[in-house]
Amino acid sequence: MAKITAWFDNSSLPIALKWSLMIACFITIVMSILGWFLGNQQQNFHQKQTQVLGHSLVNQLALAASEAILAQDDLALNMLLKQEGKEQLIIGTQIFDKKGLLKASTGVSTIWDIRSLLQENAEPDYLIWQTPGTRAITFHSLIKYQDLIVGVALVTIDREPLEQQLQQMTNLFISTTVGLVFISILFAFPLAYTLSAPIRHLEKVGKTLNQDDTPAVSRTGRKDEIGRVLDSFHYLADSMEKKKQVESAFHQFLSPSIARNVLNQPQGTQLGGTTTNGSVLFCDVVGYTEISENLMPDEVGALLNQYFKYFSLAAHSCHGTVDKFIGDCMMIIFGVPESDQQHGIHAVTCAVLIQKIATQINIQRQLNNMPIVRFRIGINSGEMLAGNLGSDERMQFTVVGDAVNLSSRVCTLCEPGQILVTRETLREPGFGNIKHPQSLGTVFVKGRKKPVYPYSIDVEHFIREGDIDDYIKQILIEGEIV
């Protein structure tokens, strides 16, 4: 059966013809099962009717013969059996006395141990038997007179009419099945041909898809239209899988927003950019040189990855984009490449999340006797150039300008665990309901002539005002899953 199925699937027969044959086979199987079920039902019905009739006749005969057998009136018994023999289905009757001696008989008789029947509840209560010329069923009943067993009566019924009816029904179902199979083949092929039209259309379309690169050997083993369509889909799936692998690798080196910008816009692969307004966050490790001196390189990498993984989630939750990792420093941009009118407050919110998450991680590391890391964060806002910088052979999407450089300089002014923002950031929308940060006065940074006005953010007050504890918990949970 398996070989036939495999040949059927892998043959080059048109799919319409295959479907026609399947419909014909289905109808044949269904009609066969239906015929078998109805035949069994009819047979059981006739058997029950025959048993009811047989028991009724033999009980009636036993009741009528009780007085005659006590009186030993053989003439009356023979007259009674003659009267019973007028029933068309009855082909034989016998009466035996309590000693098992035959007292009267008409028609055919059966070989039965009469002594075994002269007992209460003798089993079986009927006997199915046949000879070369007779197919019959015999029923027995005890003859009683005032609860005294005085003999036994037997009635034999012909089984031929039952079997003839069953044979007629079987022939009827066979004829009906053959007719339906013929009709199904006659009408199924046009129907199957019409239904398979979309498959043939898909086959034609598949041939036009990079026909030169499509493998000559079928991957499915099928040689019909479905096999050729499946081969085309396998080819497309392989191409899509390769594309997904490239995009997945691409997203690992670029933030999702930048990756989408490059993939969806052809001009995104060109050098140059546009001037935009945004915020830049620099997050730097405090005492990185000392940490690197006391740990192996792979341990340093694992340590940074543990923190930066959660910091990236914090940036994403605040509409920020991780621009790059510069050793122990992390650069996050807001309002670029996707416009964000609230980029300033989002940058500060991200900084608060980073410091609180770092505190949570440090608590766990201290419990495990592992070294901890503290961070300083500087934020500045303003105009910057956002776009692709580098060369035609190798380019990178990033932001440049004085606003970017200043955020890096502000980061160097921070104490461990501190967040400093510039006056330009506090002028951005969204800071109206937040308590004014503590000013550090006028500060001059290295390499810049103009003064800087940094402000320190009160992390705990910002959390109470912003109610961002839930965000911290969610980021920690996501970090465990990633």
Side-chain angles (χ1 to χ4, degrees):
M1 186 63 184
K3 293 182 178 179
I4 295 176
T5 303
W7 174 86
F8 188 79
D9 289 338
N10 300 331
S11 66
S12 57
L13 293 175
I15 192 66
L17 181 58
K18 288 183 177 180
W19 286 1
S20 302
L21 294 175
M22 290 175 63
I23 292 173
C25 292
F26 176 75
I27 292 176
T28 302
I29 293 173
V30 171
M31 290 301 299
S32 299
I33 295 175
L34 180 62
W36 172 81
F37 176 75
L38 293 178
N40 279 345
Q41 290 292 101
Q42 188 70 10
Q43 183 178 10
N44 292 334
F45 174 76
H46 279 283
Q47 287 179 351
K48 290 180 179 178
Q49 289 295 101
T50 302
Q51 292 176 16
V52 171
L53 176 63
H55 287 125
S56 177
L57 293 174
V58 76
N59 289 335
Q60 182 180 357
L61 177 61
L63 181 62
S66 59
E67 294 183 359
I69 198 171
L70 276 177
Q72 296 185 358
D73 189 349
D74 294 342
L75 179 60
L77 290 175
N78 285 311
M79 292 295 294
L80 181 61
L81 295 186
K82 185 177 180 180
Q83 186 67 27
E84 288 287 332
K86 293 180 179 181
E87 176 67 38
Q88 292 182 353
L89 291 177
I90 297 178
I91 59 175
T93 54
Q94 290 85 36
I95 294 178
F96 296 85
D97 62 13
K98 63 180 180 180
K99 296 180 180 180
L101 299 177
L102 180 63
K103 303 299 293 182
S105 176
T106 60
V108 299
S109 59
T110 180
I111 301 176
W112 209 340
D113 185 5
I114 303 302
R115 295 185 179 275
S116 64
L117 303 179
L118 290 169
Q119 300 176 6
E120 291 284 354
N121 301 322
E123 295 289 344
D125 56 355
Y126 65 89
L127 176 66
I128 300 175
W129 56 278
Q130 69 179 33
T131 61
T134 305
R135 302 171 66 85
I137 178 171
T138 301
F139 298 86
H140 75 86
S141 177
L142 294 175
I143 303 174
K144 295 182 179 181
Y145 184 81
Q146 296 181 354
D147 296 331
L148 179 65
I149 298 176
V150 295
V152 62
L154 281 73
V155 173
T156 301
I157 297 177
D158 191 3
R159 288 196 297 132
E160 286 293 335
L162 170 63
E163 296 186 356
Q164 288 178 0
Q165 290 180 0
L166 293 176
Q167 186 61 44
Q168 290 175 357
M169 181 173 292
T170 301
N171 294 338
L172 176 61
F173 274 106
I174 292 175
S175 302
T176 304
T177 302
V178 173
L180 287 175
V181 169
F182 176 77
I183 294 174
S184 67
I185 294 175
L186 186 63
F187 290 98
F189 183 78
L191 177 61
Y193 188 82
T194 302
L195 294 176
S196 62
I199 297 177
R200 296 195 302 274
H201 180 68
L202 285 174
E203 179 190 6
K204 293 179 181 179
V205 174
K207 290 181 179 179
T208 62
L209 295 174
N210 209 344
Q211 188 174 11
D212 296 335
D213 294 338
T214 304
V217 180
S218 174
R219 294 178 58 176
T220 61
R222 296 183 66 119
K223 300 178 182 179
D224 54 10
E225 298 95 324
I226 292 181
R228 291 187 284 272
V229 170
L230 289 176
D231 288 336
S232 299
F233 274 99
H234 276 298
Y235 175 77
L236 291 176
D238 290 342
S239 301
M240 292 297 296
E241 183 63 26
K242 291 179 181 178
K243 181 182 177 182
K244 289 181 179 179
Q245 291 175 357
V246 172
E247 291 182 359
S248 177
F250 197 57
H251 281 75
Q252 289 180 327
F253 290 91
L254 295 177
S255 293
S257 57
I258 298 177
R260 287 194 300 269
N261 186 60
V262 174
L263 291 173
N264 297 333
Q265 299 181 9
Q267 64 270 23
T269 59
Q270 300 176 357
L271 288 173
T274 58
T275 301
T276 185
N277 190 275
S279 297
V280 180
L281 180 154
F282 273 89
C283 177
D284 192 18
V285 176
V286 178
Y288 179 71
T289 302
E290 182 181 353
I291 294 174
S292 300
E293 182 181 5
N294 297 326
L295 297 177
M296 297 296 293
D298 58 339
E299 294 176 335
V300 175
L303 181 144
L304 294 177
N305 289 338
Q306 182 182 9
Y307 288 90
F308 286 164
K309 174 178 66 174
Y310 292 99
F311 296 172
S312 298
L313 293 173
H316 179 72
S317 67
C318 296
H319 308 284
T321 299
V322 178
D323 182 80
K324 61 176 68 71
F325 296 97
I326 313 170
D328 63 322
C329 181
M330 184 178 184
M331 176 180 171
I332 306 173
I333 55 179
F334 299 83
V336 179
E338 298 176 356
S339 178
D340 180 10
Q341 299 298 322
Q342 302 287 324
H343 57 80
I345 191 65
H346 286 158
V348 176
T349 303
C350 179
V352 172
L353 287 174
I354 288 175
Q355 293 292 17
K356 293 301 293 183
I357 291 171
T359 301
Q360 294 289 334
I361 296 175
N362 286 335
I363 292 174
Q364 293 297 324
R365 291 181 66 87
Q366 283 181 327
L367 293 176
N368 296 326
N369 295 322
M370 300 173 66
I372 64 173
V373 179
R374 302 191 69 184
F375 297 86
R376 51 193 174 198
I377 299 175
I379 301 173
N380 183 43
S381 304
E383 285 192 349
M384 57 195 71
L385 179 69
N388 296 317
L389 301 179
S391 65
D392 291 332
E393 291 77 17
R394 194 179 192 298
M395 62 185 69
Q396 179 182 7
F397 185 93
T398 188
V399 292
V400 294
D402 179 62
V404 180
N405 295 333
L406 183 55
S407 62
S408 176
R409 296 300 184 187
V410 171
C411 182
T412 61
L413 302 175
C414 294
E415 297 294 331
Q418 190 177 32
I419 301 173
L420 291 182
V421 302
T422 63
R423 183 170 57 186
E424 288 74 15
T425 297
L426 293 179
R427 290 174 178 172
E428 294 293 329
F431 287 94
N433 298 327
I434 297 177
K435 183 179 179 181
H436 204 283
Q438 179 183 359
S439 174
L440 300 185
T442 302
V443 178
F444 288 90
V445 296
K446 182 179 180 181
R448 197 172 190 271
K449 296 180 180 181
K450 295 181 180 181
V452 181
Y453 304 95
Y455 292 82
S456 177
I457 298 295
D458 186 344
V459 174
E460 298 300 329
H461 177 78
F462 191 93
I463 291 176
R464 288 194 300 271
E465 292 293 326
D467 192 20
I468 60 176
D469 281 329
D470 292 338
Y471 289 96
I472 297 174
K473 294 178 182 179
Q474 184 63 30
I475 291 170
L476 292 173
I477 294 173
E478 291 183 8
E480 295 297 328
I481 297 175
V482 174

